[in-house]
Amino acid sequence: MYLVKAPFFLKLLYPKSIWNKSRKENKIYLTFDDGPIPELTPFVLDTLKQYNIKATFFCVGENIKKNPHLFERILSEGHQVGNHTYNHLKGWKTDDAKYLENIRQCQELTKSKLFRPPYGRAKKSQLKELYSAYEIIMWDVLTGDFDLSLSPEQCLKNAIKNTENGSIIVFHDNIKAIPRVEYALPKTIAYLLEKNYRFEVL
């Protein structure tokens, strides 16, 4: 179960986290979680390059280690990176000390002040420790590209129907997301550019 549009009550639960940026400007923020992987990240980067826009990649440490050339490409092409833990840990099922150490391991690679908890959830005790060192980035549009039961067409609809000024949009560069990202990402970008949105990094 997941919500495409982040509801108000979730934002109240995590008030120090960033769910969206200013609603007064027609800027939006594309983000990609879980990579980099050779099966999809190059497609994402090629698409972004085609449209001359930048995005923010929340990378998993072990994937950076496996694919350092892709991580370097993300950086060299002017994109932002963030920390998504070293092993894509579920914070609410992980001891605090182990979770924080896993983030530190990823931080050695990303050297970023941005952190997004996998699954968008972590214990309040973990977040309390993290707020002093990181900007905790959540989202207000979850495309559902990871959902194997979701059609590519519905993934596209999720993205374009829920985006507004300041939206932080989540796609994934992971194996499960491939057919939906390959279909929906270029069409989402083209549609939002036609609506005069500007793409920024976090």
Side-chain angles (χ1 to χ4, degrees):
M1 171 63 188
Y2 59 93
L3 297 166
V4 173
K5 189 73 171 173
F8 186 64
F9 73 83
L10 260 186
K11 298 179 184 183
L12 288 177
L13 280 175
Y14 302 101
K16 290 184 180 179
S17 298
I18 297 169
W19 293 87
N20 57 269
K21 302 293 256 182
S22 172
R23 297 296 193 197
K24 295 178 180 178
E25 298 181 284
N26 63 336
K27 296 178 180 178
I28 51 177
Y29 303 82
L30 271 184
T31 67
F32 297 88
D33 288 5
D34 299 354
I37 60 167
E39 295 86 352
L40 187 55
T41 306
F43 171 84
V44 170
L45 290 169
D46 289 345
T47 303
L48 296 174
K49 195 171 192 177
Q50 176 188 343
Y51 288 97
N52 193 30
I53 63 174
K54 306 301 179 190
T56 303
F57 289 78
F58 287 91
C59 299
V60 171
E62 62 182 349
N63 284 335
I64 296 173
K65 277 285 192 182
K66 291 174 187 174
N67 306 290
H69 60 293
L70 288 176
F71 184 69
E72 287 303 319
R73 184 181 167 191
I74 290 169
L75 294 173
S76 69
E77 294 184 5
H79 303 290
Q80 180 65 275
V81 296
N83 185 324
H84 201 47
T85 76
Y86 194 86
N87 299 108
H88 204 262
L89 291 186
K90 296 178 179 179
W92 70 97
K93 290 188 175 181
T94 306
D95 172 79
D96 285 8
K98 182 179 178 182
Y99 190 67
L100 295 170
E101 172 60 20
N102 203 265
I103 293 166
R104 188 198 63 76
Q105 281 183 271
C106 187
Q107 177 66 6
E108 288 182 358
L109 300 170
T110 61
K111 297 177 174 59
S112 173
K113 290 296 183 183
L114 304 179
F115 174 70
R116 174 176 283 160
Y119 311 98
R121 292 172 62 188
K123 296 175 190 172
K124 288 198 172 183
S125 56
Q126 294 162 349
L127 291 172
K128 186 179 178 181
E129 292 291 325
L130 293 168
Y131 282 131
S132 61
Y134 297 93
E135 286 186 66
I136 310 298
I137 307 293
M138 297 297 197
W139 60 81
D140 69 338
V141 180
L142 189 61
T143 63
D145 57 353
F146 55 85
D147 182 352
L148 297 177
S149 68
L150 191 74
S151 71
E153 292 79 9
Q154 184 60 48
C155 181
L156 172 63
K157 185 176 179 181
N158 286 348
I160 64 177
K161 295 297 183 185
N162 293 286
T163 295
E164 58 184 308
N165 285 359
S167 282
I168 298 173
I169 306 167
V170 180
F171 282 96
H172 292 77
D173 48 337
N174 66 24
I175 297 294
K176 288 190 293 186
I178 289 173
R180 283 158 292 282
V181 170
E182 288 182 343
Y183 176 85
L185 180 61
K187 290 178 171 58
T188 296
I189 293 171
Y191 176 86
L192 295 174
L193 285 172
E194 282 183 11
K195 296 295 181 183
N196 294 315
Y197 284 109
R198 288 179 288 152
F199 291 81
E200 301 278 346
V201 298
L202 291 163

